[in-house]
Amino acid sequence: KKATDDVDTKSAQLESLDNEKNEALEKMDLMQKKSNADLESFKLEEETLKSEIAKAKNEVVSLQGKVNAAEEELLRLNDEHDESTTTLNTKITDLQKDLDIATDDNEALTKKMKEASEDIETKQTQLECLEVDKSDLLKQLEVTQQKHNADLESFKLQEETLKTEIAEGVETIISLQGKVESTEMELKKISAEHNES
């Protein structure tokens, strides 16, 4: 009867250990699935951030191109302005000579001077508009660069956090594996004692 009781006790212990082993395996499986899901989510976020960063870089390049184009246009207009000013000064000199020579042409000469003056005012207005456009483009470039830097910093923080979570998950899995192996050894020991009985 004592041997039977011992066998029943060992069987109960064996069943309890088997349940603990199954629970440990289920927990380990859940941890692995969560780790895989987290890793997949991280990959998706990483791809999204890479896409956004690439888009931001493209916007920066585009804005830089516009700034360069605006600067080139500004230089061209400055050159035209200088040339126009020189030309205008020459015309004014010539007109003044013509005025001294032929007072009858006074009305025509005045009209030409007015047209030249309006041409300068038009070009001056164009220069001022280009300066404003250049300033706006530079501000847009700065905002885009700041957003790009913020997105990159956020991505780095998310990456570090996920690495930490994965490392913790691996440690938990290793710990559970050790408990499983210990449980199996105990089961083998009990089984051997049962067979000897």
Side-chain angles (χ1 to χ4, degrees):
K1 182 178 179 181
K2 182 178 181 181
T4 302
D5 291 341
D6 289 340
V7 170
D8 291 341
T9 300
K10 296 294 184 181
S11 296
Q13 291 176 347
L14 183 63
E15 183 178 354
S16 176
L17 287 172
D18 189 52
N19 289 335
E20 290 180 4
K21 174 185 175 182
N22 290 334
E23 289 177 2
L25 288 172
E26 288 177 1
K27 289 180 179 179
M28 186 170 65
D29 183 56
L30 288 174
M31 286 293 296
Q32 185 63 45
K33 288 179 179 178
K34 184 179 183 300
S35 177
N36 292 338
D38 289 342
L39 185 59
E40 187 65 26
S41 176
F42 167 73
K43 288 180 179 179
L44 290 175
E45 290 180 2
E46 183 180 24
E47 290 300 322
T48 300
L49 286 174
K50 284 181 178 179
S51 176
E52 291 179 355
I53 289 171
K55 183 179 178 181
K57 286 181 178 179
N58 290 334
E59 290 178 357
V60 169
V61 171
S62 176
L63 288 174
Q64 187 62 53
K66 291 180 180 179
V67 170
N68 292 339
E71 289 178 346
E72 290 177 1
E73 182 66 13
L74 185 61
L75 289 173
R76 185 184 69 79
L77 287 175
N78 278 331
D79 291 340
E80 287 185 0
H81 176 69
D82 292 340
E83 183 179 350
S84 296
T85 301
T86 301
T87 301
L88 180 62
N89 288 334
T90 301
K91 286 181 178 180
I92 290 173
T93 301
D94 292 341
L95 289 172
Q96 189 62 50
K97 290 178 181 179
D98 291 341
L99 182 62
D100 293 338
I101 294 170
T103 55
D104 293 340
D105 295 338
N106 182 64
E107 185 176 347
L109 291 175
T110 302
K111 182 179 179 181
K112 288 182 179 180
M113 290 179 66
K114 182 180 179 182
E115 289 175 350
S117 178
E118 289 176 351
D119 184 55
I120 287 181
E121 290 179 359
T122 300
K123 287 188 175 352
Q124 185 62 39
T125 301
Q126 291 176 346
L127 285 173
E128 291 173 357
C129 290
L130 281 173
E131 286 288 354
V132 173
D133 290 343
K134 177 184 176 182
S135 177
D136 291 342
L137 286 172
L138 287 174
K139 288 179 182 178
Q140 290 179 19
L141 178 63
E142 182 181 1
V143 171
T144 301
Q145 187 63 46
Q146 289 175 352
K147 183 178 182 299
H148 165 68
N149 292 338
D151 289 342
L152 188 60
E153 188 63 27
S154 175
F155 167 73
K156 288 181 180 179
L157 290 174
Q158 290 179 5
E159 184 179 25
E160 289 301 321
T161 301
L162 189 55
K163 284 181 179 179
T164 301
E165 291 178 355
I166 290 174
E168 291 175 354
V170 170
E171 289 179 1
T172 302
I173 290 172
I174 292 173
S175 174
L176 289 172
Q177 187 64 40
K179 290 182 181 180
V180 170
E181 290 175 356
S182 175
T183 301
E184 289 178 344
M185 290 178 63
E186 185 65 25
L187 287 172
K188 289 179 181 180
K189 180 179 177 182
I190 292 172
S191 178
E193 291 178 354
H194 178 69
N195 291 334
E196 289 176 359
S197 298

